[in-house]
Amino acid sequence: MQRRHFIHTLSTAVLSLQALTLARQAFAQVPPTTPPAAPHWRSNPFALGVASGEPRPDAVLLWTRLYPGAPAVGESASRLQLWAHFQEQSGLNAQQACVVHYDVFSDEALRHRVKQGQVRTHAGRGWSVHARVTGLEPNRPYWYRFRCGEAVSPVGRTRTAPALGAATAQMRIALTSCQHYEQGYYAAHAEIAQQSLDVVLFAGDYIYESSNPKYRIRPHTGGIPSTLDQYRERHALYKLDPDLQACHAAHPWVCTWDDHEVENDYAGVHNIRYQDAESFLQRRAAAYQAYFEHMPVWPGANDHGPHQRIHSHYQWGDLVDWWMLDCRQYRNAQPCRDPLKGGGRVVVACDERDDPRRTMLGSAQEQWFSDSFKAAKAHWRLVVQSTQISSTSLPTPVGRSIFTDGWDGYPVARQRLIHTLAQAPKGTVVTLGGDVHMNVAADLRQVPNDPHSPIVAAELVTTSITSRGMGESTLARIREHNPDIRHARSDERGYTLIDVQREHITATFRATPHPVQAGATLSTQAQYTLRHGEPGLARQ
Ligand code: FE
Ligand code: CA
């Protein structure tokens, strides 16, 4: 505390009086009213790289954020210090908006510019830039870069989806989740960046708010974020990683979130400290805003504070319909919580969990998903959600124990989800998830773990990019007592490559031992195939 205070004071002294005065004036005025001004950068404003996302047949979303570094105080910097630093590095008054130009090219050599435009950004949105580029051709790659003043960003590559309903033979996906910065390096992203892919799907835990000193390889800067500025600095730290930047620059991403983007195990308006809903929602609003500012995810036209829609539906020609679900924002609290500490825990005999009113997705999202899923016509259906759907319960002398934060804590909602999935033709549905820090291949049956019950969908859960998994001895018991689980390994980190073709889907678990060392190489842990029209995964 003492030391942090000292650094804080020192850094304030280093910033010029003029910069601080201007920042103080700007404080009162967001969004800015004065005309945009031309910056003169002292340091690279594109230090966080570039990204793209949300590929549609005619459109794609481009992202960057002007970030000329931060004062040395990191997450303990006050907003005034951050703005003063920005002003010193940009030559702009933080009161003024700044114009960022983008160029889109049809060739890698950047000879043929097919689109250009500009986006105004300002301090109120953390100098983030989202450009939704439309009027593009379907099913092809594009290259893009940003310019601001004299500064030019790195080049990113993206691509559009095939035309709606167009005959499509293949789609290649990297499924990713859980990238705790402290617990390892992003070797998985380095490999994904080199893969020939259509899209990266991120299933949640993009940043972690919390630390575990036991598994720390490289430290977070600052403490546990709770304000907008602190969440912004946490996102910036992650985005400074060169492997993560390379992966964003190489492929369009489509993302959903889980709990750690805000706080471990939060559920709707409930958090683990039993904070009152109003103050927790302030924190959730700060975390959500920082998330949208840093991700290639369209923030929408309006700012809805703590209420932000992220669930969405995509199509890849006539081959794939896929959905990104939000398992955090609308859910009920975990059942049978400890009165001293909320969130998930292992319980036995918890009647509350069988209450049919309990929801994981919230009734509006659940209805939207059910309607959209039933209307889908594609050859395959992929359902991306944050966690594992198959059960990991264990027998005890007094009944089965379950972990309440996952779908096991919401079994009636899970039955409703499975009922919806059962509406699709047999052998055409795969659910994709993350969160549990292990690779899982499972059968989702109408009645979980009943070998006579029909298989409704195949489940693939990807291991974490870096975050530590559970002990192998517990996992061995989970496998033994949950026959629906065909494969589960928690000792390796990585990602899952999903190759979708007309006749089959092949999932390859790419992995490296924990913790991930800098420059680690990945190898294939296991490979599973689902044949179209035939329920059940087969190991290769
Ligand atoms: Fe995680
Ligand atoms: Ca999680």
Side-chain angles (χ1 to χ4, degrees):
M1 202 67 194
Q2 280 288 315
R3 190 179 137 76
R4 184 182 292 179
H5 185 73
F6 171 72
I7 299 173
H8 192 100
T9 313
L10 188 73
S11 158
T12 309
V14 170
L15 296 165
S16 76
L17 193 63
Q18 189 203 13
L20 272 173
T21 311
L22 285 171
R24 202 168 276 126
Q25 288 169 359
F27 222 62
Q29 281 199 24
V30 171
T33 49
T34 49
H40 297 285
W41 297 102
R42 282 194 190 174
S43 53
N44 171 23
F46 296 111
L48 303 184
V50 299
S52 71
E54 309 193 347
R56 304 288 185 183
D58 63 339
V60 76
L61 181 67
L62 307 181
W63 171 90
T64 192
R65 177 193 171 197
L66 302 176
Y67 185 80
V73 283
E75 280 168 30
S76 60
S78 69
R79 180 165 296 185
L80 213 56
Q81 287 174 311
L82 289 164
W83 285 15
H85 180 84
F86 185 90
Q87 288 180 166
E88 287 207 327
Q89 298 303 311
S90 66
L92 288 173
N93 180 334
Q95 209 167 346
Q96 293 170 303
C98 181
V99 170
V100 179
H101 299 265
Y102 61 85
D103 300 303
V104 179
F105 303 87
S106 60
D107 62 323
E108 195 169 4
L110 312 184
R111 285 201 194 94
H112 305 286
R113 184 166 69 185
V114 292
K115 292 280 169 187
Q116 56 179 313
Q118 57 185 54
V119 174
R120 261 170 75 107
T121 185
H122 54 81
R125 46 184 297 185
W127 307 99
S128 62
V129 177
H130 289 84
R132 198 152 187 282
V133 184
T134 56
L136 298 172
E137 287 173 27
N139 201 26
R140 55 153 301 151
Y142 285 99
W143 289 263
Y144 61 95
R145 69 180 175 201
F146 296 92
R147 289 177 285 120
C148 182
E150 265 128 49
V152 181
S153 79
V155 175
R157 181 192 167 282
T158 189
R159 62 159 297 141
T160 48
L164 290 182
T168 302
Q170 191 183 25
M171 180 183 183
R172 278 167 64 86
I173 296 165
L175 175 67
T176 55
S177 85
C178 293
Q179 49 185 22
H180 203 306
Y181 182 88
E182 293 191 323
Q183 297 185 5
Y185 289 88
Y186 294 157
H189 287 308
E191 182 173 298
I192 298 169
Q194 299 300 321
Q195 294 276 9
S196 163
L197 282 185
D198 293 307
V199 66
V200 174
L201 301 181
F202 197 87
D205 289 355
Y206 188 90
I207 59 159
Y208 279 70
E209 88 295 2
S210 51
S211 280
N212 186 341
K214 257 169 56 187
Y215 309 119
R216 186 178 287 149
I217 288 185
R218 49 175 182 170
H220 280 153
T221 49
I224 295 174
S226 60
T227 67
L228 174 58
D229 292 316
Q230 291 167 343
Y231 279 111
R232 281 172 174 163
E233 285 305 293
R234 181 55 52 86
H235 274 278
L237 174 71
Y238 279 58
K239 277 277 175 9
L240 285 167
D241 183 279
D243 293 326
L244 181 58
Q245 279 193 20
C247 193
H248 275 297
H251 312 292
W253 286 40
V254 181
C255 305
T256 187
W257 52 32
D258 194 35
D259 51 343
H260 287 286
E261 284 87 350
V262 182
E263 185 185 44
N264 179 42
D265 277 6
Y266 88 88
V269 299
H270 308 279
N271 79 335
I272 58 176
R273 286 171 294 128
Y274 288 103
Q275 209 175 3
D276 65 278
E278 201 180 321
S279 38
F280 175 64
L281 283 178
Q282 273 179 24
R283 184 179 180 188
R284 198 174 91 172
Y288 283 5
Q289 184 178 336
Y291 179 87
F292 278 96
E293 284 175 359
H294 288 82
M295 299 298 288
V297 178
W298 184 242
N302 302 305
D303 173 17
H304 300 291
H307 310 284
Q308 296 282 352
R309 176 174 169 158
I310 197 167
H311 58 276
S312 51
H313 167 234
Y314 288 84
Q315 287 164 281
W316 206 258
D318 71 343
L319 186 66
V320 174
D321 268 86
W322 93 88
W323 293 264
M324 306 296 295
L325 302 183
D326 179 346
C327 292
R328 282 288 162 192
Q329 187 172 184
Y330 314 107
R331 66 154 89 182
N332 292 115
Q334 296 84 355
C336 301
R337 290 189 295 171
D338 184 327
L340 297 176
K341 184 178 164 293
R345 61 170 175 155
V346 175
V347 299
V348 182
C350 164
D351 291 342
E352 187 191 341
R353 79 186 193 114
D354 297 319
D355 184 338
R357 290 167 302 180
R358 288 178 48 72
T359 176
M360 175 70 110
L361 302 174
S363 53
Q365 183 184 193
E366 201 173 299
Q367 191 62 51
W368 163 83
F369 172 66
S370 168
D371 294 345
S372 177
F373 187 86
K374 285 173 196 163
K377 299 269 187 297
H379 197 63
W380 295 100
R381 291 158 179 78
L382 307 181
V383 181
V384 187
Q385 44 81 54
S386 305
T387 186
Q388 181 178 355
I389 299 171
S390 52
S391 180
T392 56
S393 64
L394 285 173
T396 78
V398 284
R400 278 182 92 93
S401 69
I402 59 117
F403 180 58
T404 57
D405 188 59
W407 282 96
D408 274 345
Y410 303 76
V412 187
R414 176 168 59 193
Q415 277 317 114
R416 291 196 299 269
L417 177 73
I418 286 178
H419 178 78
T420 298
L421 302 184
Q423 310 297 308
K426 186 173 76 167
T428 64
V429 184
V430 183
T431 69
L432 306 177
D435 175 51
V436 290
H437 308 174
M438 56 186 176
N439 283 322
V440 178
D443 298 322
L444 294 182
R445 295 178 188 275
Q446 225 143 47
V447 181
N449 284 327
D450 174 357
H452 304 294
S453 174
I455 296 172
V456 170
E459 172 170 57
L460 296 166
V461 180
T462 191
T463 194
S464 53
I465 296 284
T466 51
S467 311
R468 187 184 167 82
M470 70 165 75
E472 270 295 316
S473 56
T474 309
L475 187 53
R477 291 196 64 222
I478 287 175
R479 282 194 303 265
E480 181 189 350
H481 294 286
N482 292 278
D484 286 351
I485 297 180
R486 309 281 303 280
H487 177 96
R489 268 185 70 177
S490 58
D491 58 328
E492 293 193 318
R493 314 278 70 88
Y495 72 100
T496 303
L497 194 62
I498 297 168
D499 185 7
V500 183
Q501 309 217 8
R502 305 291 301 187
E503 309 75 44
H504 49 79
I505 290 179
T506 305
T508 307
F509 295 127
R510 298 287 296 163
T512 181
H514 183 87
V516 185
Q517 303 297 334
T521 51
L522 284 72
S523 51
T524 294
Q525 179 185 97
Q527 209 170 40
Y528 282 83
T529 299
L530 180 70
R531 295 200 69 78
H532 192 262
E534 292 175 24
L537 289 157
R539 183 154 185 167
Q540 291 306 289

